[in-house]
């Protein structure tokens, strides 16, 4: 839900609003706390509060780093998934020349149509956050054309066997791509990240310093750094949806190669 609400609009626009709102809210809350708790009292407690704040900050930084790394790995895996699907389609197109006619010609036409469908229909739907249908008629027609082929020699039989497994792999990769549209970071993790960040910022309010204005500036920097990392995690955790979506370059490249081949 958090990924959907943030990535429904350009990340720079939504992120700018969230960043400004978070900094403003933190500074206003800090001013309220400073008005309630005198600076002299806060400075007296700094010796006790600073080590506690350091422990909280370190723990939260480790958690942020772990989740950001997991999000990046998820994004990279999704990018590799798209390349793998495109490569599979290119390999199937090449091997289909070993099938008897008219099955080979029909398969190559259906493969070109499937790539065009991914680029022009499925990819825009993914970016918009719409669900991709579990079944794709073009893949069904590919399976039917392959199964109707009647191999005349062992070479054609081997090609048919290879293509049956390759088409199964395409269906599997497509299912994984469909399930990865909105990311897999659980909602509980977002609750911990947001609430942990808020607690860390609030903890900094009770520390005292000789220059209140400088304390406000440090709070703004602290909030900005945390929010920016959270926005990065949001963007990376939705590899096929939103402003940081993976482009369909792998598919367009393979489609150009297919159209250029005989």
């Amino acid at each position: 839900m958090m990924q959907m609400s943030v990535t429904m609009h350009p990340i720079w626009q939504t992120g700018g609003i969230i960043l400004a709102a978070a900094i403003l809210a933190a500074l206003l809350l800090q001013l309220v706390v400073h008005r309630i708790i005198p600076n002299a009292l806060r400075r007296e407690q700094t010796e006790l509060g600073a080590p506690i704040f350091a422990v909280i900050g370190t723990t939260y930084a480790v958690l942020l780093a772990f989740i950001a790394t997991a999000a990046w790995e998820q994004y990279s895996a999704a990018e590799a998934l798209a390349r793998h699907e495109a490569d599979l389609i290119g390999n199937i197109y090449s091997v289909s020349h070993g099938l008897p006619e008219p099955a080979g010609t029909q398969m190559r036409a259906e493969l070109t149509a499937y790539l065009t469908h991914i680029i022009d229909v499925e990819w825009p739907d993914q970016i918009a956050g719409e669900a991709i249908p579990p079944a794709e008629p073009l893949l069904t027609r590919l399976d039917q054309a392959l199964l109707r082929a009647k191999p005349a020699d062992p070479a054609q039989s081997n090609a048919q066997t290879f293509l049956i497994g390759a088409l199964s792999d395409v269906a599997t990769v497509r299912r994984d791509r469909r399930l990865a549209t909105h990311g897999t970071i659980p909602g509980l993790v977002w609750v911990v990240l947001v609430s942990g960040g808020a607690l860390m910022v609030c903890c900094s309010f009770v520390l005292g310093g000789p220059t209140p204005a400088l304390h406000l500036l440090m709070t703004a920097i602290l909030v900005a750094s945390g929010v920016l990392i959270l926005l990065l995690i949001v963007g990376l955790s939705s590899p096929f949806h939103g402003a940081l979506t993976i482009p369909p370059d792998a598919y367009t490249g393979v489609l150009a190669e297919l159209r250029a081949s005989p």
Side-chain angles (χ1 to χ4, degrees), residues 25-198:
L27 295 181
L28 290 176
L29 183 58
Q30 183 174 0
L31 289 174
V32 172
V33 172
H34 286 188
R35 182 173 293 273
I36 296 175
I37 306 176
N39 186 41
L41 179 59
R42 286 185 283 106
R43 294 185 67 177
E44 291 177 0
Q45 302 302 318
T46 297
E47 185 177 352
L48 174 63
I52 298 176
F53 177 74
V55 172
I56 296 175
T58 302
T59 303
Y60 187 72
V62 171
L63 176 62
L64 269 184
F66 176 79
I67 300 300
T69 302
W72 174 251
E73 291 177 349
Q74 176 180 298
Y75 188 90
S76 299
E79 194 172 20
L81 192 71
R83 290 197 301 267
H84 182 49
E85 184 179 15
D87 290 342
L88 281 173
I89 295 172
N91 292 337
I92 292 173
Y93 189 95
S94 299
V95 178
S96 67
H97 286 88
L99 291 176
E101 297 296 342
T105 300
Q106 182 181 356
M107 281 200 66
R108 289 189 288 276
E110 296 291 353
L111 286 169
T112 303
Y114 178 59
L115 274 175
T116 304
H117 179 75
I118 292 176
I119 297 169
D120 296 339
V121 178
E122 289 192 352
W123 220 262
D125 287 347
Q126 289 177 163
I127 294 176
E130 299 178 8
I132 299 176
E136 174 48 53
L138 288 170
L139 287 180
T140 302
R141 292 202 293 268
L142 277 168
D143 286 332
Q144 293 173 348
L146 180 59
L147 294 176
R148 283 197 300 266
K150 302 298 182 182
D153 54 53
Q156 292 182 349
S157 179
N158 291 336
Q160 184 184 42
T161 302
F162 171 82
L163 292 175
I164 290 174
L167 280 178
S168 176
D169 292 339
V170 169
T172 300
V173 173
R174 181 182 181 275
R175 182 181 66 248
D176 293 340
R177 172 167 57 85
R178 181 175 63 87
L179 296 176
T181 299
H182 298 304
T184 56
I185 296 181
L188 179 61
V189 174
W190 290 115
V191 172
V192 172
L193 287 177
V194 175
S195 59

